[in-house]
């Protein structure tokens, strides 16, 4: 696991305490492990119904419901947190499920109530925390080795005209979705858009598209960060579960934005992809955009 540049340059000095706003999955635990390895003090803010129990084992932490923003801020300050990072997926709640307190209502009002759970809301959360004196950091400031590199990672790549055409179509639609702050993922087969990501997330999207696939060559998953997305929140992420769902659904491969997405458990993903005969490839969206769009 790659150490972040701040830890390397400040070796031997007291590092600022990092507060982790933890969603589900393995990423929060990887960051906790990194903090322990580099001697950085860490505090985990866990959320009921979202954070995995194993994430908080052996680390200073507190639990809160998602809508209790005032309590969260007080807790972070009481535990001397200086820097913040948001990591791991959190299921998008309705306003009724959120039960926002007064501080959370301010964040919602700032972002616009209709923006609940999307990038606009996440930017509102970041802005609010920075106004409270916390320095907000991106996941890739720490877990640099998770950033998706450019090109194919295994034995298979985007190396035929039909696949290139499907990826190009996926990029076109994903960018349009991202421009209106909807989703990050698109499933394309033979030029047909089988499904686009909404509130359900990428893995549910793949399972839904399984029922819509055509005969012949498998579909392609294209996953990009939104054009105006703040890199400090919700970078597109793929891991073993997403790959397993894609393989089980007969997909041809997965195209992720190089330098703008995260790949978890890379060695295992590459091995499984090679075994299944599918590609996992880092792409630059501009390489797949029509000439007239790139000239604008």
């Amino acid at each position: 696991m790659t150490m972040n540049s701040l830890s390397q340059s400040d070796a031997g000095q007291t590092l600022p305490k990092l507060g982790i706003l933890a969603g589900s999955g393995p990423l929060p635990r990887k960051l906790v492990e990194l903090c322990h390895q580099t001697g950085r003090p860490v505090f985990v803010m866990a959320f009921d119904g979202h954070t995995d129990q194993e994430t908080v084992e052996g680390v200073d932490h507190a639990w809160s419901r998602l809508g209790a923003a005032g309590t969260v801020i007080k807790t972070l300050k009481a535990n001397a947190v200086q820097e913040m990072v948001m990591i791991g997926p959190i299921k998008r709640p309705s306003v009724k499920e959120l039960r926002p307190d007064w501080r959370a209502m301010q964040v919602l009002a700032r972002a616009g109530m209709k923006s609940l759970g999307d990038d606009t809301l996440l930017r509102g959360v970041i802005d609010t925390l920075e106004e409270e004196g916390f320095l907000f950091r991106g996941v890739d400031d720490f877990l640099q080795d998770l950033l998706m590199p450019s090109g194919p990672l295994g034995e298979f790549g985007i190396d035929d005209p039909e696949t290139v055409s499907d990826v190009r179509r996926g990029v076109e639609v994903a960018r349009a979705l991202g421009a209106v702050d909807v989703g990050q993922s698109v499933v394309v087969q033979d030029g047909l858009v089988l499904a686009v990501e909404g509130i359900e997330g990428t893995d549910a999207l793949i399972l839904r598209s399984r029922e819509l696939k055509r005969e012949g060559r498998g579909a392609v998953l294209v996953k990009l960060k939104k054009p105006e997305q703040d890199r400090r929140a919700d970078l597109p992420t793929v891991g073993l579960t997403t790959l397993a769902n894609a393989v089980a659904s007969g997909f041809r491969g997965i195209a992720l934005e190089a330098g703008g997405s995260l790949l978890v458990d890379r060695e295992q993903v590459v091995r499984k992809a090679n075994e299944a005969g599918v590609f996992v490839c880092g792409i630059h969206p501009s390489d797949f955009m029509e000439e007239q769009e790139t000239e604008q």
Side-chain angles (χ1 to χ4, degrees):
M1 192 175 295
T2 302
M3 291 196 300
N4 67 76
S5 58
L6 183 60
S7 293
Q8 292 171 328
S9 63
D10 286 356
Q13 300 181 23
T14 301
L15 300 172
K17 179 178 280 191
L18 182 67
I20 299 176
L21 301 179
S24 62
L27 282 180
R29 295 190 288 278
K30 288 181 180 294
L31 186 50
V32 169
E33 179 185 349
L34 176 63
C35 288
H36 289 162
Q37 290 175 352
T38 57
R40 177 186 288 271
V42 61
F43 179 82
V44 174
M45 195 72 240
F47 297 100
D48 299 331
H50 300 274
T51 309
D52 300 332
Q53 179 63 42
E54 53 264 46
T55 296
V56 300
E57 293 176 358
V59 63
D60 290 341
H61 69 277
W63 287 89
S64 172
R65 62 182 181 84
L66 199 58
T71 299
V72 169
I73 291 171
K74 289 180 181 178
T75 301
L76 293 170
K77 288 184 175 180
N79 284 275
V81 167
Q82 297 168 272
E83 297 185 355
M84 295 291 307
V85 66
M86 185 184 301
I87 185 169
I90 288 180
K91 294 177 291 185
R92 301 179 184 181
S94 66
V95 175
K96 183 177 180 180
E97 293 169 329
L98 188 64
R99 294 186 294 121
D101 63 10
W102 176 81
R103 197 71 177 91
M105 286 295 294
Q106 287 183 312
V107 176
L108 291 174
R110 172 186 228 160
M113 296 292 286
K114 65 182 178 64
S115 298
L116 181 61
D118 61 13
D119 190 52
T120 304
L121 177 58
L122 293 176
R123 285 202 304 269
V125 171
I126 291 173
D127 289 345
T128 298
L129 288 169
E130 290 199 319
E131 289 171 1
E132 292 288 341
F134 303 106
L135 174 62
F136 218 92
R137 303 285 298 273
V139 175
D140 53 332
D141 287 341
F142 302 95
L143 301 174
Q144 298 163 344
D145 56 329
L146 298 185
L147 271 179
M148 184 68 184
S150 180
L153 293 188
E155 299 173 7
F156 305 95
I158 302 172
D159 52 9
D160 63 85
E162 292 81 6
T163 302
V164 170
S165 179
D166 280 353
V167 173
R168 178 176 290 116
R169 180 63 170 152
V171 167
E172 176 188 19
V173 176
R175 284 180 60 84
L177 282 175
V180 292
D181 206 1
V182 174
Q184 300 171 325
S185 302
V186 180
V187 177
V188 181
Q189 183 184 24
D190 295 332
L192 297 174
V193 177
L194 298 186
V196 297
E197 183 183 14
I199 198 171
E200 80 277 37
T202 302
D203 292 323
L205 165 73
I206 293 171
L207 298 178
R208 175 161 56 88
S209 67
R210 180 188 299 183
E211 307 302 321
L212 304 171
K213 67 180 180 181
R214 275 37 178 181
E215 295 295 328
R217 294 161 57 84
V220 170
L221 172 69
V222 177
K223 192 173 177 71
L224 311 177
K225 68 177 178 64
K226 299 170 185 175
E228 303 301 322
Q229 181 171 338
D230 191 320
R231 291 182 62 90
R232 296 173 295 176
D234 195 29
L235 280 182
T237 303
V238 164
L240 284 167
T241 299
T242 298
L243 176 65
N245 287 332
V247 170
S249 299
F251 278 34
R252 207 181 326 160
I254 299 173
L256 292 171
E257 182 169 352
S261 59
L262 304 175
L263 183 66
V264 185
D265 297 320
R266 181 181 304 182
E267 291 184 3
Q268 296 177 65
V269 166
V270 171
R271 185 174 70 252
K272 295 291 186 181
N274 288 341
E275 292 172 356
V278 305
F279 68 81
V280 177
C281 191
I283 65 168
H284 298 282
S286 59
D287 294 340
F288 291 86
M289 289 158 54
E290 298 294 343
E291 290 184 7
Q292 60 266 32
E293 184 179 352
T294 58
E295 292 172 358
Q296 293 177 354

